[in-house]
Amino acid sequence: MRTRRDVYLNDKPWEEALAEYLQHLAAKGALQPGTPEVIPTEQALGRVTAEPVFAQISSPHYNASAMDGIAVDSAITFGASDATPKRLQLGDKAQVVDTGDPIPPGCDAVIMIEDVHFVTDDVFEITSAAAPWQHVRAIGEDVVATEMILPANHTVRPVDIGGILAGDVGEIKVHPRPRVALLPTGTELVQPGTELKPGDIVEYNTRVFGAMIETWGGEPMRRPITIDDWDQLKNTIMTAVEEADVVVINAGSSAGREDFTADLIRELGTVLTHGAAIKPGKPVILGEIKGKPVIGVPGYPVSAALCMELFVRPIIYRKLGSTPPPPQTTSAIISRKMPSPMGVEEFIRVKLGQVGEKIVATPISRGAGVIMSMVRADGMLRVPRLSEGFRAGDTVTVELMRPLEEVRQTTVIIGSHDMALDVLANHLRRKFPAASLSSANVGSLGGLSAIKRGECHCAGTHLLDEETGDYNVSYVKRLLGDRPVVLVNLVYRQQGLMVAKGNPLGIKGLEDLTREGIRFINRQRGAGTRILLDYRLQQLGIDPDSIYGYNREEYTHMAVAAAVASGAADAALGIKAAANALGLDFVPVVEERYDLCIPGEFWDTPYITRLLEVMATSEFRQQVAALGGYDLRDCGGVMYRQGI
Amino acid sequence: MRTRRDVYLNDKPWEEALAEYLQHLAAKGALQPGTPEVIPTEQALGRVTAEPVFAQISSPHYNASAMDGIAVDSAITFGASDATPKRLQLGDKAQVVDTGDPIPPGCDAVIMIEDVHFVTDDVFEITSAAAPWQHVRAIGEDVVATEMILPANHTVRPVDIGGILAGDVGEIKVHPRPRVALLPTGTELVQPGTELKPGDIVEYNTRVFGAMIETWGGEPMRRPITIDDWDQLKNTIMTAVEEADVVVINAGSSAGREDFTADLIRELGTVLTHGAAIKPGKPVILGEIKGKPVIGVPGYPVSAALCMELFVRPIIYRKLGSTPPPPQTTSAIISRKMPSPMGVEEFIRVKLGQVGEKIVATPISRGAGVIMSMVRADGMLRVPRLSEGFRAGDTVTVELMRPLEEVRQTTVIIGSHDMALDVLANHLRRKFPAASLSSANVGSLGGLSAIKRGECHCAGTHLLDEETGDYNVSYVKRLLGDRPVVLVNLVYRQQGLMVAKGNPLGIKGLEDLTREGIRFINRQRGAGTRILLDYRLQQLGIDPDSIYGYNREEYTHMAVAAAVASGAADAALGIKAAANALGLDFVPVVEERYDLCIPGEFWDTPYITRLLEVMATSEFRQQVAALGGYDLRDCGGVMYRQGI
């Protein structure tokens, strides 16, 4: 039996694997569009023509007046001029017409009504001659019968429907939408909405795949969950191969299961590739059964989505006689060091923001299991196979997952996490539909460093000066020197110990953290909350090493709160709003000030003025207050300014 | 009563008219999204969130193994190293887990199966300690319960569906699709598929509008045609205002009718603007009845589509809590002089092609009635209100109507028209799905001039040297000097007189064109066919002025054939294929050679090699031959080359 190590030794660059795969499928006829469907032109939006569309009639189908006016035989107008006006009488060779009316027999031109002076009811005067065919829309001016309106393999747009109907073509032949069977497999999977037990995994991948396939022009066929049983899965695959044009097997999350799927495909057909040199998405299986593409997509949602994009999308487009449109890209500056393993092409989700002249890309979670990293991403950055990654300041090309214009309208805030920022983001979008707020959580010190490097429009910071008891100012001076900057208060907030509902361990303060059997979970170095903890521990004379879990770090208030809520930890220092959100008890430690630090160059820009406008609204203030543990007495107020 | 002149004196810049209109509508509450709809998350693709979506559960909702391996209490692994391997026994503190399995109570880390050496069935050895929480996906790593997954006013993408379901949210609130009533009006309108009489106009505009509105996220409600009757139209509008959120009245093609519509809207509500400073689309009406937007859109299809884009699209997006995405643009070089009237913003449809380093924009028909100008366009060029147009060589910004990547893959051919080019375009797209052919018909001499100016990859040319009887070579030498160039034959073709079926006037040759009562229609100056005609007339000693219609010019074979087919002319010189297409009789005059002239710099590029590949296929040759009047004996053969 082969081990996984053997398989992965053969990892191919994904482009090579894809090219080989498409070549194999093409040779089997598996990429040919299906038998054309005849559909009414009116329903053709987004469909792809299977044959060229030819005009049945000319448009206009008669010589038509292009103006309101008088149709004339141009010959009778010759000689008219300002000096020698000509009087004409309505009759066979001079008839009133509206725009769109047929040119009467015997006439060959139209005089605009504005250029006519009626002397009596049926006698008029003109002061210039009509050129033959002036203001006449000749037959076929738009489309001539038999002319090609659309070529084959053209995706029908709204105006195309007009062109086709102008040629009097009521039905057209289009490629059928490729049917893609989506097979979720795994004993641990449950349908959304099921009451969850530990170990249950909500099956949402095939819902994402289905929406992708619709977007690409295919027809998803989602199948029930198949448990990990050789015969059942084999039957499911065989039925799917009969019914669909393409089969996607979503392998669940177990690495062992991918071999299972690969062995099954191998029994029923051919495995072209098992394992491509990509991260995430490495265990992808490219197979073929009875002339149909069968793709094994790994279970982690980010790996899965990526494999769909890389390997399934080109098949759908090929079966529609087309190729996938290339992604929109932008060039951007990397905000921090981004190492990446040699030998695989890594796909890193990034947030983007335009800060000053440059577009800055900041990596977000690389976890293959973190679907929210796709939801939150503005773009995808590829680290080539033979690169070891990027250095801060490198210029890179990023594939856009949001329009660049939206990125340009995004206020980038980097620094400490606070839940009021979510509320701010939401109300910002409501009040200014084109604007948005992108926040990266790297802690208070990280935020000030980001300002220093020119990567954000503002930073959220709550840094206690241990000597003065004041917040933020001394850190700003130390880290940003005399750079022009304004500190605006967002909130005051309660920091305290988040503990399980009912506080079963009776934790009353930081002193209790050293007790035997109490498991703490900490925030990362550089976070204001971590600095606060260290400051208080020092005041209390507590050795951090005496706290179990002091070195276990999470990046947000919600992450540590979730650990406590799940029982993975017994206590964490964090904000009251996070404790409230997850129904935890809260032991207050201190009220602290949370400010936005705004560099002078952005102070008067919409990036900031929009935020201040939203912060001034009562809707925003009420919703933040309702989270609990907040005081908005100085919200929007300038706490400090230098150089501006 | 006001005259049209009065109204148009007030023409506003369209941005101003739109801004005033939106302000008025906002004050009336007409831009507010409707009451939110609750829909299943699985059906949310493309819908817009009406409220933020918050996670109901954390994901993962339990601490999960991130690997296949052994879950352990990390404490029991301390001390293991290469030098001091540690033996452990399976039990409470060391349990086999698969990826996704819950971490058993008492365990806090996972050792990858690859790092484990089993000594017996239940005893294994490790050579390094496990760090607490290694290879564990902590609760909430992806989403934490109560966390915001999506803000309000967000358009749902495939990955978002995954994020929402990961948070166990089965239904979400979305903005209802704005319902847009589409009212076609005009006594001359008939439904597609009707047997057409002169004066009938096929009602396809509201089909185009419907597809546009779907694309923008609205729900079109197409209504039957209303004839031009005050009371009927009034009733139709009143009903539509009750039933829909937005009402679009398509005014038919008569200029007089627009006042009719405007007066009706004024009677029922308010007209904010009648006439904007745009071309086409000037007579647009922006009105409001009972707090709902009512827009009168002019009847010509290009005017209509443009008014929908400029005035209706922003309303739909606003009602979805959003703003329209800005168009993709490219910068391009204008290929020829493009005068434009002062005082209006003109919207010119252009073909685009990448020729060498530059993207070249060539204007196509400006007729407001020519829907095919929209179908064929690659981009839209705006000539600002206070500009008189562009000069050849000016750099301009063009809004893309096709992806730039497709434009880059387009072979640009400018010159004489031949129907074999349509066949070539179609087979090119079949064989190379990403490639396309864009042809502009400016006559043979126009094509060679375009090569000289660097605007195309090749030119179609059939220019007879009156002295040698040879084709094209002497013209190439004269116009392109010693520039490297290749002449490749496309076809030989029959030129002759196209006359009505049965040849009722008994036309036997060019000599008959001077007969009394015979109406000729000519090709434009610079067309090879025109040069051929002039050459033959000179040989025959016929004075062009003795031919009625000699000065009436059309730009394509099909256009002159259509004029003959409709009875607007009795004879035209053209190719046999065009006569065949429209069922005309054909009186042969001469066989001529039609070549592609290819500049040396493009000879070895895919722009040309792809064409040559298609020209070599039997499918292409058979289909051209079937058109009639063609001989492909030299098709693809090099007829002449210089400097290469």
Side-chain angles (χ1 to χ4, degrees):
Chain A
M1 202 185 133
R2 301 183 323 150
T3 65
R4 276 211 300 158
R5 198 168 294 275
D6 290 336
V7 174
Y8 287 165
L9 276 178
N10 298 321
D11 286 353
K12 279 174 247 182
W14 72 268
E15 295 96 330
E16 202 180 294
L18 176 65
E20 281 176 23
Y21 188 44
L22 292 180
Q23 201 172 6
H24 175 90
L25 293 175
K28 295 269 176 183
L31 299 179
Q32 280 299 311
T35 310
E37 260 174 60
V38 178
I39 61 165
T41 302
E42 297 188 11
Q43 292 164 23
L45 181 65
R47 301 301 297 265
V48 183
T49 54
E51 293 182 357
V53 178
F54 296 101
Q56 296 291 325
I57 60 162
S58 297
S59 174
H61 57 104
Y62 58 92
N63 290 316
S65 177
M67 295 285 175
D68 292 353
I70 298 180
V72 294
D73 175 356
S74 57
I76 68 171
T77 69
F78 293 164
S81 72
D82 277 335
T84 59
K86 204 153 184 174
R87 288 198 174 192
L88 298 170
Q89 184 151 22
L90 293 183
D92 282 355
K93 303 209 157 195
Q95 303 186 31
V96 174
V97 287
D98 277 342
T99 307
D101 283 350
I103 303 295
C107 297
D108 66 354
V110 173
I111 304 173
M112 284 166 67
I113 199 70
E114 290 90 331
D115 297 336
V116 163
H117 172 66
F118 270 94
V119 184
T120 70
D121 272 2
D122 62 349
V123 173
F124 62 93
E125 208 170 72
I126 53 172
T127 54
S128 65
W133 303 99
Q134 80 175 19
H135 302 318
V136 174
R137 297 188 63 214
I139 286 183
E141 177 192 289
D142 192 349
V143 193
V144 175
T146 78
E147 195 180 356
M148 184 169 74
I149 296 172
L150 296 177
N153 295 338
H154 174 91
T155 304
V156 176
R157 305 161 299 172
V159 290
D160 298 329
I161 292 178
I164 303 170
L165 290 175
D168 202 27
V169 181
E171 294 182 330
I172 63 170
K173 283 192 179 170
V174 295
H175 293 310
R177 299 186 198 276
R179 287 159 307 168
V180 185
L182 303 173
L183 313 185
T185 74
T187 307
E188 75 287 5
L189 295 183
V190 297
Q191 297 293 5
T194 310
E195 189 75 32
L196 297 173
K197 302 184 306 294
D200 287 349
I201 293 178
V202 177
E203 198 294 286
Y204 60 74
N205 273 343
T206 64
R207 276 77 179 180
V208 176
F209 300 174
M212 286 176 156
I213 284 163
E214 271 183 54
T215 307
W216 302 332
E219 185 187 320
M221 299 163 63
R222 195 157 44 76
R223 294 295 178 231
I225 293 164
T226 307
I227 60 165
D228 296 318
D229 175 278
W230 179 275
D231 291 324
Q232 281 196 35
L233 186 53
K234 186 170 163 182
N235 282 333
T236 306
I237 294 175
M238 288 194 305
T239 309
V241 167
E242 291 304 320
E243 293 174 348
D245 302 308
V246 180
V247 177
V248 173
I249 305 168
N250 192 217
S253 54
S254 160
R257 186 173 310 127
E258 289 134 19
D259 289 332
F260 188 71
T261 307
D263 289 342
L264 250 172
I265 299 176
R266 203 173 285 115
E267 183 179 309
L268 295 168
T270 311
V271 168
L272 279 294
T273 284
H274 183 191
I278 49 174
K279 181 184 173 190
K282 188 166 175 159
V284 66
I285 305 162
L286 305 179
E288 175 260 309
I289 299 173
K290 294 191 181 170
K292 304 225 171 133
V294 178
I295 299 109
V297 167
Y300 276 135
V302 179
S303 317
L306 188 65
C307 288
M308 289 295 290
E309 292 274 352
L310 294 181
F311 300 107
V312 179
R313 187 163 173 252
I315 294 174
I316 306 301
Y317 275 83
R318 283 288 288 268
K319 287 195 73 75
L320 288 166
S322 174
T323 51
Q328 300 288 330
T329 61
T330 184
S331 105
I333 307 284
I334 292 278
S335 68
R336 72 196 56 168
K337 198 177 162 196
M338 217 182 285
S340 178
M342 282 277 282
V344 298
E345 182 165 335
E346 188 175 4
F347 295 76
I348 297 178
R349 285 80 74 201
V350 295
K351 295 293 287 181
L352 296 173
Q354 172 140 18
V355 181
E357 293 301 299
K358 59 190 177 187
I359 290 183
V360 177
T362 302
I364 48 188
S365 164
R366 289 159 124 167
V370 182
I371 182 78
M372 287 303 289
S373 68
M374 300 285 279
V375 172
R376 297 211 171 105
D378 300 322
M380 186 74 89
L381 173 62
R382 299 176 180 213
V383 187
R385 213 159 51 88
L386 300 179
S387 155
E388 290 186 285
F390 299 113
R391 288 163 306 176
D394 279 358
T395 299
V396 294
T397 299
V398 175
E399 295 175 13
L400 289 167
M401 295 168 70
R402 274 208 307 165
L404 193 56
E405 190 53 35
E406 272 187 41
V407 167
R408 292 216 169 94
Q409 299 243 37
T410 299
T411 302
V412 180
I413 181 164
I414 298 185
S416 172
H417 175 64
D418 187 86
M419 295 172 78
L421 294 177
D422 283 353
V423 180
L424 188 58
N426 188 43
H427 284 276
L428 178 71
R429 210 170 165 81
R430 271 189 201 274
K431 199 170 168 69
F432 304 96
S436 62
L437 181 70
S438 150
S439 65
N441 308 320
V442 297
S444 295
L445 284 172
L448 295 182
S449 301
I451 284 186
K452 196 169 174 184
R453 294 191 303 265
E455 292 171 8
C456 60
H457 301 114
C458 61
T461 173
H462 56 111
L463 289 162
L464 171 67
D465 182 336
E466 305 179 9
E467 282 166 26
T468 64
D470 192 13
Y471 275 87
N472 301 322
V473 177
S474 61
Y475 288 87
V476 164
K477 285 183 180 157
R478 178 145 53 87
L479 283 164
L480 302 179
D482 51 6
R483 187 156 164 193
V485 75
V486 183
L487 285 174
V488 171
N489 181 252
L490 181 67
V491 289
Y492 294 90
R493 60 186 197 177
Q494 288 283 346
Q495 286 267 23
L497 287 171
M498 306 188 281
V499 296
K501 185 83 191 162
N503 197 358
L505 298 175
I507 295 168
K508 298 207 175 58
L510 298 176
E511 302 83 346
D512 289 324
L513 298 181
T514 57
R515 269 170 35 198
E516 181 69 24
I518 289 192
R519 296 161 306 151
F520 184 68
I521 182 163
N522 207 349
R523 290 291 308 284
Q524 85 281 12
R525 265 154 292 209
T529 303
R530 172 75 165 257
I531 290 173
L532 176 68
L533 175 71
D534 291 346
Y535 171 63
R536 301 289 290 192
L537 291 179
Q538 199 189 357
Q539 284 186 319
L540 296 167
I542 299 173
D543 175 9
D545 285 345
S546 67
I547 300 176
Y548 179 87
Y550 178 88
N551 290 315
R552 186 172 167 209
E553 297 183 350
E554 286 287 353
Y555 275 76
T556 66
H557 291 280
M558 288 305 282
V560 290
V564 174
S566 74
D570 300 313
L573 190 62
I575 56 175
K576 183 151 195 282
N580 285 359
L582 295 189
L584 301 175
D585 274 15
F586 183 77
V587 181
V589 171
V590 69
E591 183 192 64
E592 66 172 8
R593 198 177 92 203
Y594 182 104
D595 293 338
L596 302 180
C597 176
I598 302 157
E601 68 263 38
F602 300 120
W603 176 241
D604 256 339
T605 66
Y607 294 118
I608 299 304
T609 54
R610 285 191 289 229
L611 296 192
L612 296 177
E613 249 186 84
V614 173
M615 282 157 65
T617 63
S618 57
E619 298 82 36
F620 168 77
R621 287 161 180 248
Q622 280 166 15
Q623 202 177 334
V624 172
L627 294 172
Y630 285 108
D631 189 315
L632 287 95
R633 62 184 180 271
D634 283 338
C635 176
V638 171
M639 311 311 284
Y640 172 74
R641 65 168 77 212
Q642 66 180 29
I644 176 172
Chain B
M1 203 182 134
R2 302 183 324 151
T3 65
R4 278 212 298 160
R5 197 168 294 275
D6 290 335
V7 175
Y8 287 166
L9 275 178
N10 298 322
D11 285 355
K12 276 174 250 183
W14 72 268
E15 293 96 331
E16 203 180 292
L18 176 63
E20 281 176 21
Y21 189 44
L22 293 180
Q23 200 171 5
H24 174 89
L25 293 174
K28 294 267 175 184
L31 298 179
Q32 281 298 313
T35 310
E37 260 175 61
V38 178
I39 61 165
T41 302
E42 296 188 9
Q43 291 164 24
L45 181 65
R47 300 301 297 267
V48 183
T49 53
E51 292 181 358
V53 177
F54 296 101
Q56 297 290 325
I57 60 162
S58 296
S59 174
H61 57 103
Y62 58 92
N63 290 317
S65 176
M67 296 283 173
D68 292 353
I70 296 180
V72 294
D73 175 356
S74 56
I76 68 171
T77 70
F78 292 162
S81 72
D82 278 335
T84 59
K86 202 153 187 174
R87 287 197 175 194
L88 298 170
Q89 182 150 20
L90 293 182
D92 282 354
K93 302 207 160 199
Q95 303 186 30
V96 174
V97 287
D98 276 342
T99 307
D101 283 349
I103 302 297
C107 297
D108 66 354
V110 173
I111 304 172
M112 285 167 68
I113 200 71
E114 289 91 331
D115 297 335
V116 163
H117 173 64
F118 270 94
V119 184
T120 70
D121 273 1
D122 62 350
V123 173
F124 61 95
E125 207 169 72
I126 54 172
T127 54
S128 64
W133 303 100
Q134 80 173 20
H135 302 317
V136 174
R137 295 188 63 216
I139 287 186
E141 176 191 288
D142 192 348
V143 193
V144 175
T146 77
E147 197 179 355
M148 184 169 74
I149 297 171
L150 297 177
N153 295 336
H154 174 92
T155 304
V156 176
R157 305 162 300 172
V159 288
D160 297 328
I161 292 178
I164 303 171
L165 291 175
D168 201 27
V169 180
E171 293 181 329
I172 63 169
K173 283 193 179 170
V174 296
H175 294 309
R177 299 186 199 278
R179 288 159 307 167
V180 184
L182 303 172
L183 313 185
T185 74
T187 308
E188 74 287 2
L189 295 181
V190 299
Q191 297 293 4
T194 310
E195 189 75 33
L196 296 174
K197 302 183 308 294
D200 287 349
I201 293 179
V202 177
E203 198 294 288
Y204 60 75
N205 273 343
T206 63
R207 275 79 177 177
V208 175
F209 301 173
M212 285 176 157
I213 284 164
E214 271 183 54
T215 307
W216 302 331
E219 183 187 322
M221 300 164 62
R222 194 158 45 74
R223 295 297 177 229
I225 294 163
T226 307
I227 60 166
D228 296 319
D229 175 279
W230 180 274
D231 290 324
Q232 283 196 31
L233 185 53
K234 187 171 160 181
N235 281 334
T236 306
I237 294 176
M238 288 194 305
T239 308
V241 167
E242 291 304 321
E243 293 174 350
D245 301 309
V246 180
V247 177
V248 172
I249 305 167
N250 193 217
S253 54
S254 161
R257 187 175 307 127
E258 290 136 18
D259 289 330
F260 188 71
T261 308
D263 289 341
L264 250 173
I265 299 176
R266 205 172 285 115
E267 184 180 305
L268 295 168
T270 310
V271 169
L272 278 295
T273 286
H274 184 192
I278 49 175
K279 181 185 173 185
K282 189 167 173 157
V284 66
I285 305 162
L286 306 179
E288 174 261 309
I289 298 174
K290 293 188 181 172
K292 303 222 173 135
V294 178
I295 299 108
V297 167
Y300 276 134
V302 180
S303 316
L306 188 65
C307 287
M308 289 295 290
E309 292 273 353
L310 294 181
F311 300 107
V312 178
R313 187 164 173 252
I315 294 173
I316 306 302
Y317 275 84
R318 282 287 289 268
K319 286 193 75 73
L320 288 167
S322 173
T323 51
Q328 301 286 329
T329 61
T330 183
S331 105
I333 307 283
I334 293 279
S335 68
R336 71 197 54 164
K337 199 179 160 194
M338 215 181 285
S340 177
M342 282 277 281
V344 298
E345 182 164 337
E346 189 173 3
F347 294 77
I348 297 177
R349 284 80 72 201
V350 295
K351 295 294 287 179
L352 295 174
Q354 173 141 16
V355 182
E357 292 302 302
K358 59 190 174 187
I359 290 183
V360 177
T362 303
I364 49 187
S365 165
R366 288 160 125 168
V370 181
I371 182 79
M372 287 302 290
S373 68
M374 300 285 280
V375 172
R376 295 207 171 108
D378 300 322
M380 185 74 88
L381 174 62
R382 299 180 179 208
V383 187
R385 216 159 50 89
L386 300 180
S387 154
E388 289 187 285
F390 299 113
R391 289 163 305 177
D394 280 357
T395 300
V396 293
T397 298
V398 175
E399 294 174 14
L400 290 167
M401 294 168 69
R402 275 208 303 165
L404 193 56
E405 191 54 35
E406 272 188 42
V407 167
R408 292 214 170 96
Q409 300 243 35
T410 299
T411 303
V412 180
I413 179 164
I414 298 185
S416 173
H417 176 65
D418 187 84
M419 294 172 77
L421 295 178
D422 283 353
V423 180
L424 189 57
N426 188 44
H427 284 276
L428 177 70
R429 208 169 168 83
R430 270 188 203 276
K431 201 172 166 70
F432 303 97
S436 63
L437 181 70
S438 150
S439 65
N441 308 319
V442 298
S444 295
L445 283 172
L448 295 181
S449 301
I451 285 186
K452 197 170 172 184
R453 292 192 302 266
E455 294 172 6
C456 59
H457 301 112
C458 62
T461 173
H462 56 112
L463 289 162
L464 172 66
D465 183 336
E466 305 179 10
E467 283 165 24
T468 65
D470 191 14
Y471 276 85
N472 301 325
V473 176
S474 61
Y475 288 86
V476 163
K477 286 182 179 157
R478 180 146 50 86
L479 283 164
L480 302 179
D482 51 5
R483 186 158 164 189
V485 75
V486 184
L487 284 174
V488 170
N489 181 252
L490 181 66
V491 290
Y492 294 91
R493 61 185 196 177
Q494 289 282 346
Q495 285 268 21
L497 287 169
M498 305 189 280
V499 297
K501 185 85 194 161
N503 197 359
L505 297 175
I507 295 168
K508 298 208 175 58
L510 296 177
E511 303 83 346
D512 290 323
L513 297 182
T514 58
R515 269 170 38 198
E516 180 69 23
I518 290 192
R519 295 161 307 153
F520 183 69
I521 183 164
N522 208 349
R523 291 292 308 283
Q524 85 281 11
R525 268 152 291 207
T529 304
R530 172 76 165 256
I531 290 171
L532 177 67
L533 175 70
D534 291 346
Y535 172 62
R536 301 289 291 190
L537 292 179
Q538 199 190 359
Q539 284 185 319
L540 296 166
I542 298 173
D543 175 8
D545 285 345
S546 67
I547 300 175
Y548 178 88
Y550 178 86
N551 291 313
R552 187 174 168 203
E553 298 183 347
E554 286 286 354
Y555 275 75
T556 67
H557 292 281
M558 287 306 281
V560 291
V564 174
S566 73
D570 301 312
L573 190 63
I575 57 175
K576 184 153 193 286
N580 285 0
L582 296 189
L584 300 175
D585 274 17
F586 183 77
V587 182
V589 170
V590 69
E591 184 193 62
E592 66 172 9
R593 199 178 92 203
Y594 182 105
D595 293 340
L596 302 180
C597 177
I598 301 156
E601 68 263 37
F602 299 120
W603 177 240
D604 257 338
T605 66
Y607 294 118
I608 300 304
T609 55
R610 286 191 289 230
L611 296 191
L612 296 177
E613 251 188 82
V614 173
M615 282 157 64
T617 64
S618 58
E619 298 82 35
F620 168 77
R621 286 160 181 250
Q622 280 166 16
Q623 201 177 335
V624 172
L627 294 173
Y630 285 108
D631 190 315
L632 287 95
R633 61 186 181 271
D634 283 338
C635 176
V638 171
M639 312 311 284
Y640 173 75
R641 65 166 79 212
Q642 66 181 29
I644 175 171

